[in-house]
Amino acid sequence: MAQTLIEPRTLRGFRDYPPELQLPREELLAKARQVYRSYGYLPMDTPALEYAEILLGKGGEETDKQLYRFRDHGGRDVALRFDLTVPFARFAAEHIQRYGTPFRRYHIGPVWRGENPQRGRYREFVQCDFDTIGTTSNAADIEVVFVIYDLLRTLGFERFQVHVNHRWVLNGLLEELGLVERTVAVLRALDKYGKIGREGVEEELRTQAGLESGQAGKILDLAEIRGSPAEILEHLEKTFGHQVKVARGIACLRELYAVTRAAGLPEGVVQLDLRIARGLDYYTGTVYETFLDDLPGIGSVCSGGRYDNLASLYTKQVLPGVGASLGVDRLLAAMQELNLLPASYATAPVLVVFFVADKLALYMEVAGRLRRAGIGAEVYPEAKKLREQLAYANKRGHRLAVIGGEDELTRGVWQVKDLRAQSQHTVADADLVTTVQRILSG
RNA sequence: GUGAGAGUAGCUCAACCGGCUAGAGCACCAGACUGUGGAUCUGGGGGUUGGGGGUUCGAGUCCCCUCUCUCACCCCA
């Protein structure tokens, strides 16, 4: 009876993760977890689905429009989370008494946004956040830089910069220039500097923010100050240091720069960049963006900032915090482009050849022995020809093949074939594990 | 959501101006080389040319709709 086949396909903006993508992704996330934990961040997660009222109106009209929202079977008005910050705010309002402050957590999970997909932008993607809430201390802000640094180093990146700015500096400047009520438009324009350049920003400042060219020029001149963090701060101090907010921002940034240097971050990692504003009016203090020297075009791979009050919509307890989010997809794309991903996708380095059809138990046993020693071992599932099994091992990227035919089994030995070095050793059954270990570590 | 470009085998591409049964390389599967991988040889499966409709004697090719991808706006990971 003929049956109509269903066309296999995924939704627009959603995608599969085949092994060659999922493997590096899992490894990346494992490394991120390791770094987060080393700083004392605790893991947590929240439901994918929340009451719509929890998620609505938290990120402005734009995010409301992007919300996947529907009625569940019980008629409840629900929506998929579009970031991890809002669910965290709800969580904190509900549970923070149990943990007290300061509280550090990391949170890795998928989020959903019904926006128009582009390269590297999907409707479902993973966020990888870390935050410290319940403290206004600049120490927490400074630590964020260390976390970002360790994250990227652990992932194998060496050439990158953490661009830092402070909202107080920007706000103070705008106050000084009498542009407070245009803050959002000005910062939005400024934030595009890397993309549209000075002329573009100037244009936008005039048309979108309604500035006169003199004001626009002033802002641009400031944004374009180049130099070491110390030099930029000095310049700022001289020109706008009399403004209270600017002065406070400068003090924070100065401490951040001094501490990161004194505590071991190499020179050049931290850059002061007056152009980064981080669109959302959500951030109120330090803001961060991280750029790879070799791939500036892909944008920031780790961004975040400080906010005054995380959960004001759900609780009267004031919960200030600071944190950032790792751009998992961008980093994977970057690692692919910079050849930082392994060429082999074998999760087990050893293939145990299934040679003699009625000796399966022996092969299973030896594979188990290898695994107990921490060495991944795969037993070929069919007693096919040796050449085919070796071809399989080669194609799949197994480093070693363990071969036991009639001959070896009667002598109590194994052939250990190194597919990469194209060499082969005969080893006694008792020495197998140590031999394999030695080859793999060397 | 708005605007622009693109969709031919799993991948990269071919098919003059609309004209024979839509091809090639790689990949995949089977077999050979009869206990040792990347090679070679032989054979094979795969396509309703993204889908639907229209024009035409005839459409992969022209027109309309739709889906998907890419780019820009917006926003951001």
Side-chain angles (χ1 to χ4, degrees), chain A residues 198-381:
Chain A
R198 181 188 174 105
E199 286 73 27
V201 175
E202 191 170 8
E203 166 85 22
E204 190 139 331
L205 283 174
R206 266 186 281 153
T207 58
Q208 302 298 314
L211 300 203
E212 291 154 25
S213 58
Q215 295 171 307
K218 258 187 194 166
I219 289 175
L220 279 162
D221 288 342
L222 277 168
E224 285 178 334
I225 306 171
R226 292 290 157 77
S228 69
E231 288 165 347
I232 296 175
L233 287 170
E234 199 179 326
H235 181 96
L236 265 181
E237 177 94 71
K238 254 188 275 173
T239 46
F240 287 95
H242 55 279
Q243 212 285 338
V244 189
K245 285 187 181 170
V246 174
R248 280 165 67 199
I250 289 174
C252 286
L253 290 171
R254 186 167 277 148
E255 187 189 14
L256 182 144
Y257 180 62
V259 170
T260 51
R261 286 291 286 124
L265 285 205
E267 195 178 354
V269 169
V270 174
Q271 298 286 325
L272 292 192
D273 186 345
L274 296 175
R275 293 167 308 190
I276 69 162
R278 304 281 315 140
L280 285 167
D281 24 13
Y282 171 75
Y283 291 116
T284 53
T286 324
V287 286
Y288 317 83
E289 292 202 339
T290 311
F291 299 97
L292 302 176
D293 293 1
D294 299 317
L295 290 172
I298 67 167
S300 173
V301 295
C302 191
S303 319
R306 170 166 281 283
Y307 37 87
D308 282 342
N309 197 353
L310 177 76
S312 59
L313 289 153
Y314 317 103
T315 177
K316 288 179 180 162
Q317 181 171 356
V318 179
L319 290 172
V322 62
S325 185
L326 196 63
V328 176
D329 288 300
R330 279 183 182 180
L331 278 167
L332 278 176
M335 291 169 83
Q336 199 161 25
E337 216 154 309
L338 298 175
N339 286 321
L340 293 174
L341 296 182
S344 162
Y345 301 119
T347 45
V350 176
L351 179 82
V352 177
V353 171
F354 187 1
F355 206 131
V356 185
D358 61 1
K359 292 286 192 275
L360 179 59
L362 269 177
Y363 303 126
M364 293 284 194
E365 188 279 324
V366 81
R369 223 192 299 161
L370 288 165
R371 292 186 200 113
R372 266 173 268 126
I375 303 162
E378 172 179 344
V379 180
Y380 196 85

